Structures are given as structure tokens and as C-alpha cells.
Amino acid sequence: MLGKLRINREYWTRYRVMRYWVVPWLFMLPILGLHAFVVVFPASQGVYYSFTDWSGIGEAEFIGLRNFEEMFFEDQSHLDALSRNIQWMLFFITVPFIFALFGSSLLAKVRRGAMIYRTALFMPFILPSVVTATIWRYLYNPRFGLPTLVGYDKALLGQSDTALWAIAFADNWHFWGFLMVLFLTAMQGIDPVLYDAAKVDGASRWEEFWHVTLPGIRPVVLFMMMMVMIWAFLVFDYIFILTGGGPAGATEVLGIDIYKNAFQRFEAGYAAAQGITICLFAGLIVSVFAMLRKRGWEI
């Protein structure tokens, strides 16, 4: 009898190990292998090359922290590009969020034809960046574009003081509809009883938004704010298509600077170091939000 119990116990132990440990990992191995080949291995190479002097071809010479020292203490173009990324980030955590919150709060009350409005506002987000950038290149034309409507005869993309903000506005046109749909979806999950209680208390439309709507969608807003802050350091396509970093480097952000260092100046090791700094900035942003979440913030 004891022998049978021991055999049954061993059988169930092996069964649980196979079912809950061996079999799941066997199913995960293919995707883990693909992830290692596509992500982990290239990322590890990037970390290694960031400590080298490498042209992108041939052998790499290990130079330690020299690239990072040059980046933060000698290379003024890198610091200028970083400052433009910070300006871009400040723009995109304010203007698109204001547009999206305003638009979603208005559309939340619409019942007839709501899907048409939502689709129309979301449509720019699914357009390829090349198409959107080409459209805005014509809209910014100083001879027949939008500037002529206000009597401005200079090229917005050709002036150092307006080029970056002109590109940011074009990118915002394509992006804010995406935020609006997310916020609108979150608003629809708020209990209508809260709005009824606010009306009974005599709350105005603005007070309803501030005390009911905004707290109800705060996790979505904060999460998207974190993602936008990270994306701000990855911006490349619109700037590359519209100005290529010009005029006179006025729109050269980190992505453009990395591209030029890697593929035009053949300083791939230095470009890898710049890429690592972007990862560090992203990690810092995530760490701050993780700390806020640990302190009780709903993120």
C-alpha cells in the first residue's frame, strides 16, 4: 500500500513538472530563440561597439569610455541635438494631449455619427509618414501653401527658428487622433453614476471633466505620457523626410545625428554610444514612473 502511494506521488510530481515547467518552456523556446537572435544579440553588439572606435567596417578598437566622454563634454552637436529632443518632448506631452483631451471630451457626448468623426480624426495616424510629410511639405510651401493665407512669405521649413516647430506641428496632426481614441475609450469605461452625482451636486461641465473624467482616465493619460516621452527621443522619420536635419542643423535631433555619424561620417562606434544613451534616457523615464506607481499613483 505504501509502495503504491509512493509511486502515485512520484507520478504526479513528474506530471506537474512536465505540465507546468517542461512543456510551457518547450513552447516558448522558438519565440525566445527568435527574440534572442533579433533583439538580444544585436543589442549586445551595440553595447560592445559603444566602447570601441569602429567605422562600421573591419576590426573595432576598444577605447573604453572615450565615446561617452566626447559625447557629453566635447561634442556640442550632440548636446544641441539632445536639447532639441527635450524641446520635442515638451511639445508632445502638452499640445497633443490638450488636443486629444478636448476632442475626446466633446466626442464622448456625441451619439449620432460618432464613428464617422472618430474614424476621420484617427485616419491621419494610419497614413505612412512619407505620405503625411509630403502633404505638409506642400502645405508649408511659401508660394501657394498655408503661409500665404496669413501673408507670411518665408519658408517655415527653411528658417532655423521655425523649422523644428513646423515639423512638430505636422507630426502632431498625425498623432493626436491616436491619443484621442485612447482617451475616448477610457472615458467610456467611467461609471455614468459618477456624472449623475456630479450633476446633482451642481457641477459645471468643466468641473465634471476635472473631478470625474480626468481622474477616471488618469492611468491611461499617465501611461501615454510615459510612452510619448520615450518616443520623443526616437523621432526620426518626419525630420529626415522634411528637412534632413537642416537648415544649418536646426532640426538635427539625436536620431538624425546618429544616422549621420553611422552612415555618413563612418563613426559607427560613436553612433552606438549615442544609441545607448537613448536607452538610458528611456530607462530613466520608466524608472521614474515605476517609482511613482510604487508610491500609489495609478499608472
Side-chain angles (χ1 to χ4, degrees), residues 1-11:
M1 187 70 176
L2 292 175
K4 289 183 178 180
L5 289 175
R6 190 179 299 112
I7 292 173
N8 287 336
R9 190 180 298 111
E10 292 176 356
Y11 169 78

Side-chain angles (χ1 to χ4, degrees), residues 219-260:
V220 177
V221 173
L222 292 177
F223 176 77
M224 288 309 303
M225 189 169 291
M226 179 186 69
M227 296 304 299
V228 169
M229 292 172 71
I230 295 173
W231 291 339
F233 288 96
L234 304 177
V235 58
F236 177 81
D237 50 353
Y238 279 85
I239 295 177
F240 183 78
I241 296 169
L242 288 172
T243 62
T251 60
E252 193 168 288
V253 293
L254 287 177
I256 300 294
D257 196 32
I258 291 173
Y259 171 81
K260 290 183 177 180

Side-chain angles (χ1 to χ4, degrees), residues 8-236:
N8 287 336
R9 190 180 298 111
E10 292 176 356
Y11 169 78
W12 283 108
T13 301
R14 289 197 300 268
Y15 174 78
R16 284 195 296 269
V17 170
M18 288 292 296
R19 180 173 181 177
Y20 296 107
W21 290 94
V22 178
V23 173
W25 279 104
L26 287 176
F27 278 101
M28 290 176 64
L29 276 177
I31 191 63
L32 287 176
L34 181 62
H35 179 76
F37 180 75
V38 175
V39 177
V40 177
F41 180 66
S44 302
Q45 281 190 313
V47 172
Y48 168 72
Y49 285 124
S50 68
F51 297 102
T52 66
D53 181 13
W54 185 47
S55 66
I57 303 172
E59 294 293 329
E61 178 186 355
F62 185 81
I63 58 173
L65 297 174
R66 181 71 185 91
N67 285 330
F68 296 93
E69 180 184 353
E70 178 183 352
M71 189 188 313
F72 290 108
F73 299 103
E74 300 175 13
D75 188 359
Q76 187 60 42
S77 64
H78 172 80
L79 298 177
D80 291 340
L82 177 60
S83 69
R84 295 185 192 101
N85 277 100
I86 295 175
Q87 294 174 48
W88 190 276
M89 180 186 69
L90 293 175
F91 178 89
F92 272 89
I93 62 174
T94 52
V95 177
F97 279 81
I98 293 172
F99 279 30
L101 288 170
F102 181 73
S104 57
S105 62
L106 292 179
L107 280 178
K109 304 298 182 181
V110 176
R111 293 294 178 264
R112 177 174 296 181
M115 187 56 64
I116 298 176
Y117 292 117
R118 297 174 193 176
T119 303
L121 294 173
F122 184 76
M123 190 66 68
F125 182 74
I126 64 176
L127 290 175
S129 54
V130 175
V131 175
T132 304
T134 303
I135 291 172
W136 280 94
R137 185 191 299 278
Y138 283 103
L139 290 175
Y140 283 145
N141 192 294
R143 290 179 296 176
F144 52 80
L146 293 177
T148 60
L149 298 179
V150 294
Y152 190 82
D153 58 351
K154 296 181 180 179
L156 291 173
L157 297 176
Q159 303 293 316
S160 298
D161 55 343
T162 59
L164 184 66
W165 304 115
I167 300 172
F169 187 83
D171 198 351
N172 172 62
W173 176 82
H174 120 278
F175 179 66
W176 79 272
F178 169 70
L179 286 178
M180 184 210 65
V181 171
L182 292 180
F183 295 162
L184 184 59
T185 303
M187 288 178 185
Q188 292 173 341
I190 299 175
D191 192 345
V193 174
L194 298 176
Y195 289 103
D196 295 336
K199 291 176 181 177
V200 171
D201 291 338
S204 63
R205 182 74 180 271
W206 166 251
E207 290 173 333
E208 285 184 19
F209 174 80
W210 187 256
H211 296 289
V212 179
T213 303
L214 202 56
I217 66 172
R218 182 169 55 192
V220 177
V221 173
L222 292 177
F223 176 77
M224 288 309 303
M225 189 169 291
M226 179 186 69
M227 296 304 299
V228 169
M229 292 172 71
I230 295 173
W231 291 339
F233 288 96
L234 304 177
V235 58
F236 177 81

Side-chain angles (χ1 to χ4, degrees), residues 82 89 226-234 254 274-290:
L82 177 60
M89 180 186 69
M226 179 186 69
M227 296 304 299
V228 169
M229 292 172 71
I230 295 173
W231 291 339
F233 288 96
L234 304 177
L254 287 177
Q274 289 180 298
I276 295 300
T277 60
I278 294 179
C279 295
L280 294 177
F281 287 132
L284 178 62
I285 293 169
V286 173
S287 299
V288 170
F289 276 83

Side-chain angles (χ1 to χ4, degrees), residues 284-297 299:
L284 178 62
I285 293 169
V286 173
S287 299
V288 170
F289 276 83
M291 182 182 65
L292 293 176
R293 184 172 185 177
K294 187 177 293 186
R295 292 190 175 187
W297 287 48
I299 302 177

